[in-house]
């Protein structure tokens, strides 16, 4: 009669320990949640991401991880099977997603990666919010379609490349892997190695064969990546090939926005200002500083051109206000082109140099 009693007591003790463990875990989770809530509260309104951007950013980051994880997991498992490591291959192929592990390891605090993803999401959301402007001639093809049929083969080739890249970018699925990451090479490399390390961490007893398979699979992913196929790179090549003259630029940039080709708008701006794509992209979706209006005056855009672009962007971006822009227009036009060019001079310096200067100056304060 005593055995069942002992068993019940042992079960009760096990249950008690499990309850205590859950309580301790909940306490730690509550502490972390409070810290996160305080951090979020301290973020100024102009630095806080809106819900639409947050959702799109989370979806993009998860899709990038899933894409690279699928490549490495699949190829690594195949390599292990060819080496007779069937059990390890199954463990790798059927392991849990590494997205949570990467998040907990601080991936979302990587400034360079997250900066690129936030910029990409903001530009894509700006394009999706842009109103398609009707052409004077309804049968006239869009700007990129006309350029893709241009007799100049260089222009036609680069325009077609932008069309293909944007079609691929806009075809991002709601869930699952992407056709490719569309990341700059440096960031793609960084993410590939982080994913490979996370896959290793998910194996209970990793072996030398696993390490070799993961390393080879990661290198295969790196070799297949071509950052020249990115939307940003293709648009910049087209802008260079166009080499728009000052009298052509306002119409081209206006038409690019009218066609919702925001990447082409940014590339035209970058080429005209002699700044890198990232700098031009940042000023395009920067709704508070007014740097874009200074840039347009540096290019000697007249009032009508500035007004058209300002209204188009204000209507597409919920952070902007058309009435506020209209009130600012006189002040914008009062800026002399030479004065605007001088104000933008720092942006013509290399990005990494500017970042290093900023870091040193921030530490000196």
């Amino acid at each position: 009669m005593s055995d069942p009693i002992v068993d019940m007591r042992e079960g009760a003790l096990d249950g008690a320990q499990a309850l205590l463990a859950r309580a301790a875990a909940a306490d730690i989770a509550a502490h972390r949640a409070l810290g996160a809530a305080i951090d979020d509260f301290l973020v100024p309104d102009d630095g806080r991401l809106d819900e639409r951007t947050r959702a799109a950013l989370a979806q993009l980051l998860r899709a990038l991880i899933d894409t690279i994880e699928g490549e490495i997991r699949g190829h690594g498992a195949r390599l292990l099977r060819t080496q007779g490591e069937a059990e390890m291959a199954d463990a790798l192929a059927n392991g849990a997603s590494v997205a949570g592990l990467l998040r907990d390891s601080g991936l979302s605090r990587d400034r360079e990666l997250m900066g690129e993803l936030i910029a990409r999401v903001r530009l894509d959301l700006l394009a999706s919010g842009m109103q398609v402007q009707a052409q004077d001639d309804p049968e006239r093809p869009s700007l990129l379609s006309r350029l893709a049929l241009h007799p100049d083969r260089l222009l036609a080739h680069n325009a077609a490349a932008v069309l293909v890249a944007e079609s691929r970018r806009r075809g991002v699925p709601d869930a699952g892997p992407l056709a490719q990451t569309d990341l700059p090479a440096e960031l793609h490399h960084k993410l590939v190695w982080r994913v490979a390390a996370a896959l290793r961490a998910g194996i209970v007893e990793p072996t030398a064969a696993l390490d070799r398979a993961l390393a080879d699979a990661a290198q295969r992913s790196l070799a297949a990546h071509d950052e020249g196929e990115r939307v940003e790179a293709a648009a910049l090549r087209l802008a260079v090939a166009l080499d728009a003259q000052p009298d052509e630029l306002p119409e081209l940039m206006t038409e690019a926005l009218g066609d919702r080709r925001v990447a082409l708008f940014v590339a035209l701006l970058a080429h005209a200002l002699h700044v890198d794509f990232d700098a031009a992209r940042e000023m395009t979706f920067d709704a508070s500083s007014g740097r874009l209006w200074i840039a347009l005056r540096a290019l000697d855009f007249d009032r009508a051109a500035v007004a058209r672009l300002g209204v188009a962007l204000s209507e597409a971006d919920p952070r902007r206000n058309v009435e506020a822009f209209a009130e600012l227009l006189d002040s914008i036009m009062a800026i002399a082109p030479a004065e605007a060019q001088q104000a933008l001079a720092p942006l013509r310096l290399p990005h990494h140099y500017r970042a290093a200067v900023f870091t040193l100056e921030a530490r000196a304060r």
Side-chain angles (χ1 to χ4, degrees), residues 41-238:
F41 176 74
L42 294 175
V43 175
D45 289 341
D46 59 356
R48 180 175 283 108
L49 298 178
D50 61 82
E51 287 305 314
R52 189 172 65 143
T53 303
R54 288 171 64 94
L57 179 60
Q59 179 183 337
L60 175 58
L61 180 59
R62 180 59 187 261
L64 291 172
I65 293 172
D66 287 348
T67 300
I68 295 174
E69 180 182 351
E71 292 176 356
I72 297 177
R73 194 188 290 277
H75 188 64
R78 285 193 296 272
L79 289 175
L80 287 167
R81 287 195 175 92
T82 62
Q83 298 167 18
E85 299 278 352
E87 186 176 344
M88 186 61 68
D90 289 341
L92 178 60
N94 302 317
S97 169
V98 300
L101 176 59
L102 287 172
R103 183 186 62 246
D104 294 343
S105 71
L107 180 68
S108 56
R109 291 189 178 276
D110 186 301
R111 292 181 63 87
E112 292 185 350
L113 176 64
M114 296 307 293
E116 172 64 26
L117 299 191
I118 290 170
R120 178 164 149 182
V121 163
R122 281 177 165 164
L123 206 65
D124 291 346
L125 290 176
L126 185 62
S128 68
M130 196 70 60
Q131 298 294 321
V132 178
Q133 298 177 9
Q135 300 281 353
D136 294 335
D137 180 1
E139 297 184 1
R140 186 189 189 200
S142 67
L143 174 61
L144 274 181
S145 297
R146 296 199 313 273
L147 291 175
L149 299 174
H150 200 281
D152 184 322
R153 287 189 298 173
L154 181 62
L155 277 180
H157 173 77
N158 286 317
V162 175
L163 284 170
V164 170
E166 288 210 333
S167 175
R168 184 176 59 242
R169 176 75 63 84
R170 291 179 179 180
V172 172
D174 292 336
L178 311 173
Q180 60 188 54
T181 65
D182 255 13
L183 288 172
E186 182 180 349
L187 297 180
H188 179 79
H189 285 212
K190 180 185 292 187
L191 191 54
V192 163
W193 291 119
R194 292 285 291 271
V195 169
L199 285 168
R200 183 188 192 278
I203 302 297
V204 177
E205 294 184 3
T207 63
L210 174 69
D211 285 334
R212 186 70 266 164
L214 287 173
D216 287 349
Q219 288 173 331
R220 180 176 182 267
S221 178
L222 299 181
H225 182 69
D226 182 0
E227 68 174 350
E229 295 179 354
R230 300 173 62 229
V231 172
E232 296 80 0
L236 196 52
R237 288 197 302 271
L238 177 57

